[in-house]
Amino acid sequence: MKVYITRKISPIAESLLKKEGYSVSVFKKDCAISKDELMKKSRDVDALISQVTDTVDAEVITNLKNCKVIAQAAVGVNNIDLSAARERGIIVTNTPDVLTDATADLAAALILSCARRIVEGDNYVREGKFDGWKPQLMLGMELRGKTLGIIGAGRIGQETAKRIKAFGVKIIYYNKSRKADFEKKTDAQKVSLKVLLKTSDIVSVHLPLKKETYRILNSDNLKLMRKGVVFVNTARGEVVEERALIKLIKSGHIFSAGFDVYENEPDVNKQLFKLKNVILLPHIGSGTVEARSKMAELAALNAIKVLNGKNPLTEVK
Ligand code: NAP
Ligand code: GLV
């Protein structure tokens, strides 16, 4: 069996696959594999271990001659044409749960950092501007008594809410289905997207990118947000119309915004670099040693299960 891993990931993946006697190749460069190279390298593989940066579109999938499983080492699979894979009988798997805590920690960290101007304060001191305590210096938003709106109350959205609730924050959420267990644990209330945007002091985005969530937050509804809102996106950039968001940050309507993801990744809109009230992270939501190791392990185990004729652990349906 031949397996191709499109990026150097935790070595546990390679060692698990090799233990099965598979021939494993890894893309060696520290950058995203190009579509052309991916097509060349994956043509005759039995399993492909993919990353969020790979374009696994219909053309790439049609080019796969023997592939039984595409095991994505991530929870989001918006880079994979799922219907093309289904048509070809190729199973697609992802890595839910193992990265939930890491990503929720980061979302919570962005919320706190935006509310309390942590990065701005750090830059201020580094630039030698700190010349003593001042009563009006860099005042932020106090969390107690505020309302957090979770857009997409799945695994990561719920865990983010649980963390922020500990600061005395009320939780409301917008989601397709009602999450009764989440409501019981956090007193969260399910509301419409419009109500969430109108009543939240903090908005945190956790929706997967799909046709129906592409720019679900746009110039029409983003402006419904309260003046002085904190806005954080650790899901996918394309869920938000970035131009409209930037306009609201620039005008001061948004108090502070935290980005882990961008609409045209890895390109970041240059206007953001000029703004003090934004925090810009390089898509590191799941970036802990623990999570990345478990993601690599789970992706490998999914590939092994399928190649052994068994059901994978975490199939994307
Ligand atoms: P999840 O558990 O599947 O949660 C997604 C939630 O969104 C579900 O509750 C789902 O509702 C809801 N939803 C889906 N489509 C919707 C729609 N059209 N309208 C309203 N609600 C909708 O996924 P997760 O594990 O929390 O991950 C969420 C996303 O975070 C991933 O897809 C990925 O893009 C992103 N992510 C980013 C990083 C990073 O490094 N920054 C790391 C991990 C994940 P139902 O349950 O009712 O279907
Ligand atoms: C990361 O972005 C993921 O979807 O796991």
Side-chain angles (χ1 to χ4, degrees):
M1 294 283 184
K2 283 187 184 176
V3 182
Y4 191 65
I5 307 180
T6 63
R7 201 79 176 247
K8 192 170 166 240
I9 55 175
S10 167
I12 190 161
E14 212 173 322
S15 69
L16 283 168
L17 294 161
K18 282 186 171 160
K19 235 198 219 158
E20 296 292 312
Y22 303 160
S23 149
V24 184
S25 311
V26 182
F27 181 64
K28 294 276 173 338
K29 293 182 208 152
D30 191 20
C31 62
I33 190 167
S34 69
K35 185 173 154 183
D36 281 354
E37 182 127 21
L38 177 59
M39 285 177 74
K40 263 189 236 153
K41 293 281 167 47
S42 61
R43 194 176 160 77
D44 63 348
V45 300
D46 297 280
L48 179 67
I49 301 213
S50 59
Q51 322 298 319
V52 289
T53 43
D54 303 335
T55 304
V56 190
D57 61 12
E59 201 184 353
V60 171
I61 288 169
T62 308
N63 179 65
L64 298 167
K65 297 299 166 222
N66 301 320
C67 190
K68 287 117 195 126
V69 54
I70 299 169
Q72 171 104 327
V75 68
V77 287
N78 50 284
N79 59 309
I80 302 173
D81 188 326
L82 297 176
S83 47
R86 209 169 294 126
E87 259 173 43
R88 295 283 320 279
I90 299 172
I91 290 172
V92 177
T93 65
N94 67 346
T95 61
D97 300 313
V98 295
L99 45 57
T100 296
D101 282 329
T103 312
D105 287 351
L106 193 89
L110 276 175
I111 290 169
L112 294 174
S113 304
C114 284
R116 296 307 305 273
R117 305 170 72 168
I118 303 283
V119 174
E120 194 185 344
D122 177 85
N123 285 332
Y124 183 82
V125 176
R126 283 173 201 276
E127 286 163 11
K129 291 180 179 159
F130 179 46
D131 56 1
W133 183 88
K134 287 177 190 159
Q136 295 298 317
L137 181 63
M138 236 168 254
L139 302 186
M141 174 203 279
E142 186 147 324
L143 292 182
R144 184 163 299 280
K146 297 296 190 304
T147 297
L148 165 65
I150 294 283
I151 302 186
R155 290 169 291 246
I156 298 167
Q158 291 188 25
E159 281 305 317
T160 303
K162 285 184 201 160
R163 283 154 175 72
I164 297 300
K165 186 180 164 57
F167 290 85
V169 170
K170 178 185 169 193
I171 312 295
I172 58 176
Y173 71 100
Y174 166 71
N175 197 74
K176 210 163 31 180
S177 63
R178 189 170 164 215
K179 303 290 182 187
D181 189 49
F182 173 53
E183 289 182 11
K184 217 162 135 190
K185 285 185 183 141
T186 62
D187 294 323
Q189 264 176 15
K190 186 172 186 284
V191 294
S192 68
L193 185 56
K194 200 168 164 185
V195 168
L196 183 144
L197 292 170
K198 280 184 159 177
T199 53
S200 297
D201 302 291
I202 307 155
V203 171
S204 191
V205 183
H206 301 281
L207 287 171
L209 174 61
K210 300 187 286 188
K211 231 184 247 152
E212 64 269 28
T213 60
Y214 175 76
R215 289 191 173 179
I216 193 168
L217 297 168
N218 50 51
S219 54
D220 290 333
N221 58 18
L222 282 171
K223 63 180 178 227
L224 297 176
M225 290 192 296
R226 283 184 171 176
K227 187 165 171 14
V229 68
V230 162
F231 185 94
V232 165
N233 185 3
T234 54
R236 284 290 181 271
E238 298 94 319
V239 170
V240 186
E241 187 183 346
E242 206 169 76
R243 255 182 333 188
L245 184 71
I246 292 173
K247 217 167 148 188
L248 291 170
I249 302 168
K250 276 172 127 176
S251 72
H253 189 93
I254 291 175
F255 176 69
S256 179
F259 293 72
D260 187 41
V261 289
Y262 305 85
E263 206 170 353
N264 298 304
E265 249 172 74
D267 289 340
V268 176
N269 188 314
K270 302 276 179 296
Q271 292 184 63
L272 288 170
F273 298 147
K274 296 185 200 136
L275 301 173
K276 282 195 175 153
N277 56 340
V278 297
I279 299 178
L280 308 175
L281 298 182
H283 200 150
I284 52 168
S286 66
T288 64
V289 174
E290 293 86 347
R292 288 285 160 83
S293 166
K294 286 183 206 150
M295 288 158 70
E297 181 180 15
L298 181 51
L301 290 175
N302 275 325
I304 291 166
K305 285 275 186 194
V306 175
L307 295 183
N308 286 335
K310 304 213 170 87
N311 288 330
L313 298 167
T314 48
E315 181 171 358
V316 178
K317 301 263 188 190

